[in-house]
Amino acid sequence: MFSQRLTNLVLALGAVRAANAALTRRVACADGVNTASNEACCALFPIRDVLQSDFFDGGECGEEVHESLRLTFHDAIGFSPTKGGGGADGSIIVFSDIETAFHANNGIDEIVDAQKDFIQQHNITLSPGDFIQFAGAVGVSNCPGAPRLDFFLGRPQPKAASPDLLIPEPFDTVDSILARFSDAGFSTPEVIALLASHSVAAADKVDESIPGTPFDSTPGIFDTQFFIETQMRGVLFPGTGGNQGEVESPLRGEIRLQSDSELARDSRTACEWQSFATNQAKLQSAFKAAMLKLSLLGHDQSQLIDCSEVIPVPRAVTDKPHLPAGSTMNDIEQACATSAFPTLSADPGPATSVAAVPPS
């Protein structure tokens, strides 16, 4: 009796192992180099490689990465259960003559044109929705400290342009920003998580007198400095001010959006904002999850193919959360009512200015 049971158990375990092996068996890609869990993903490896070499300047976390990440958001958030829009469908490329004219898309025509040209030059057959999200995920992988974003393949061609007025703007109120995101299916914590994208971003059109102005002192690193420096009291430096969507900043050469400043200080969002200040792991996991949700707006995930394995693994961040040189904890403007802002030390030396992000 015991022997028979043991035999049955061994056979059952063997069947489980065989089933798991079948599920995890990889396909050899035609390039003779890569393998994939799904053959459809093989076509992405050469696209990834040429993106890195030709579009992202050999793998830099620079202007093209910043703008490609911005484009993933501007294309996807054009979605509303009541007002329409196809979400992450590439409509901003296909119907660029309509969507780039939206006020909220000021300046995005440059990255739209660059991606359209790249698609044509390299005869890329991905749907525009797939390409936008793939380019964004590959680009962010060049930023140390970023999470490895997910990518799902198979978005269909867009059917129509997104309606106007679905993209939040820098001068919108917290009420309107949270309401717009809620309409698209995002919770308040997910809104704050998505704003981690500003850790590797710069503004060209908020104040056109200072193009390429970053939102924190480390625009080439996906780190928590954005959440620290936005919480600091600021000074209005020469060359800034007077434009909607901009307030004072803690460092010369850095810009702060009005919406970011208010979200960092609003009672509904301040504690979530503060929670990212020294928690790189939470920043990565929350941003990764929120970006996956954003990239799937308007689509059924079960109908797409998981090709996340094609996305490169970003390098780890080495810098520690800190105050900018010349700052003290007195420069932090406490906003969370239930816990104190984490104690941080400042970089040595006098206060310095932040360099603009150079154009590509």
Side-chain angles (χ1 to χ4, degrees), residues 301-324:
Q301 182 175 339
S302 69
Q303 300 301 307
L304 304 178
I305 300 168
D306 188 353
C307 293
S308 303
E309 62 193 337
V310 180
I311 306 302
V313 178
R315 289 168 290 160
V317 66
T318 55
D319 291 346
K320 302 297 183 183
H322 59 273
L323 295 173

Side-chain angles (χ1 to χ4, degrees), residues 169-174 198 203 206-207 210 213-216 226 229-265 273 333:
E169 299 202 55
F171 50 85
D172 287 349
T173 65
V174 173
H198 286 182
V206 175
D207 187 333
I210 47 171
T213 307
F215 297 130
D216 75 3
F226 167 70
E229 292 167 24
T230 308
Q231 203 69 60
M232 294 176 63
R233 295 180 174 85
V235 175
L236 189 61
F237 291 105
T240 65
N243 285 0
Q244 279 189 313
E246 180 193 347
V247 295
E248 71 274 5
S249 294
L251 298 173
R252 184 181 298 274
E254 184 175 305
I255 197 169
R256 180 184 295 170
L257 300 183
Q258 175 181 307
S259 54
D260 287 344
S261 178
E262 292 180 357
L263 284 162
R265 291 159 176 79
W273 189 284
E333 189 171 7

